[in-house]
Structure formats: structure tokens, C-alpha cells
């Protein structure tokens, strides 16, 4: 499958890893929009949040289970934001489900 994030999971494309286990991978975003900007992706190819269902939601649950440890490792003691962009109107550019973990400063209140 011609998927950029599947290639990052496979190691075919390098990434600056922050955390990895058998279900997910976290790595620094190539174009950070905050002092800390990490992407967390499932190791199963789901195109977006719109493909989450009862059979694969364990990946999403797992990601949210590990986010506190990732945030702590990155020093986000004062809070952070988790975002997933979905589809055209959500301005999703990479069609592999990913969660942006943003922090390291007081983020703007506006989200759209
Ligand atoms: P989105 O717009 O929500 O689909 O976010 C995709 C993010 O992926 C965007 O913030 C930039 C990041 N990105 C794109 N290509 C690469 C890459 O090759 N490596 C890394 N680390 N991040 C990438």
C-alpha cells in the first residue's frame, strides 16, 4: 500500500521516534506547529477517524492509554492538545489515522 505512515511504521521512511509498541508509533512531526508536535499513529492502516469501528477501536483506545506517558516523557506537565484531522473539510493531508499531540506553550483557544 502506498501510504506514507505505513512506510514510517515499516522503517522504509525514517522518523524521529518518541514511543513505540506493538499497536502504535509516536514520532515528531516534520513541520511542527508548536514547540512539541508529535504524531501518534496506529500500526494498522485506518484511513481516518471515519474508519474507526467496533473491530478496530482498540487501536484508538490504546493510543489514548499511552498518551499520558508520551506527554510526560515530552515534559508536557502543563497540559496539551490532541487533534485528529478527518477528510477534506478536516484538512487531513495524510490518509492514515493520526493524532497530533501539541504542547510546550499556551495554545490558541481557536480550533477552527
Ligand atoms: P494532517 O494534515 O492532519 O494529515 O497532518 C499530517 C502531518 O504529517 C503534518 O503535520 C505533517 C506531517 N508529515 C507529513 N509527512 C511527514 C513525514 O514524512 N515525516 C513526518 N515526521 N511527518 C510528516
Amino acid at each position: 500500500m502506498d501510504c506514507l505512515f505505513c512506510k514510517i511504521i515499516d522503517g522504509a521512511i525514517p522518523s524521529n521516534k518518541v514511543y513505540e509498541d506493538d499497536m502504535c508509533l509516536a514520532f515528531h512531526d516534520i513541520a511542527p506547529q508548536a514547540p512539541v508536535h508529535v504524531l501518534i499513529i496506529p500500526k494498522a492502516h485506518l484511513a481516518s477517524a471515519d474508519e474507526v469501528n467496533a473491530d478496530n477501536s482498540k487501536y484508538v483506545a490504546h493510543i489514548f492509554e499511552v498518551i499520558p506517558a508520551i506527554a510526560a516523557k515530552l515534559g508536557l506537565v502543563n497540559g496539551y492538545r490532541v487533534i485528529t484531522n478527518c477528510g477534506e473539510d478536516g484538512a487531513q493531508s495524510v490518509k492514515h489515522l493520526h493524532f497530533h499531540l501539541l504542547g510546550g506553550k499556551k495554545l490558541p483557544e481557536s480550533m477552527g
Side-chain angles (χ1 to χ4, degrees):
M1 184 180 294
D2 192 25
C3 168
L4 174 65
F5 287 174
C6 285
K7 289 177 182 165
I8 286 179
I9 291 167
D10 291 346
I13 293 176
S15 66
N16 187 358
K17 291 180 189 177
V18 172
Y19 174 86
E20 182 170 21
D21 63 28
D22 58 333
M23 293 183 79
C24 72
L25 172 66
F27 54 96
H28 289 281
D29 195 290
I30 203 168
Q33 296 187 37
V36 174
H37 187 172
V38 162
L39 301 174
I40 309 163
I41 64 175
K43 287 190 172 177
H45 182 82
L46 308 179
S48 75
D50 204 45
E51 288 196 352
V52 176
N53 58 39
D55 291 330
N56 59 36
S57 61
K58 62 188 176 194
Y59 287 96
V60 177
H62 181 74
I63 284 170
F64 276 81
E65 286 167 11
V66 299
I67 279 174
I70 296 171
K73 183 176 180 181
L74 294 167
L76 302 179
V77 294
N78 223 22
Y80 50 85
R81 181 171 291 161
V82 180
I83 295 172
T84 188
N85 296 327
C86 180
E88 195 64 27
D89 281 1
Q92 181 185 7
S93 60
V94 179
K95 309 302 190 227
H96 182 124
L97 176 64
H98 52 281
F99 295 92
H100 298 257
L101 174 62
L102 299 146
K105 70 171 186 180
K106 174 78 173 169
L107 297 167
E109 290 186 9
S110 170
M111 285 193 289

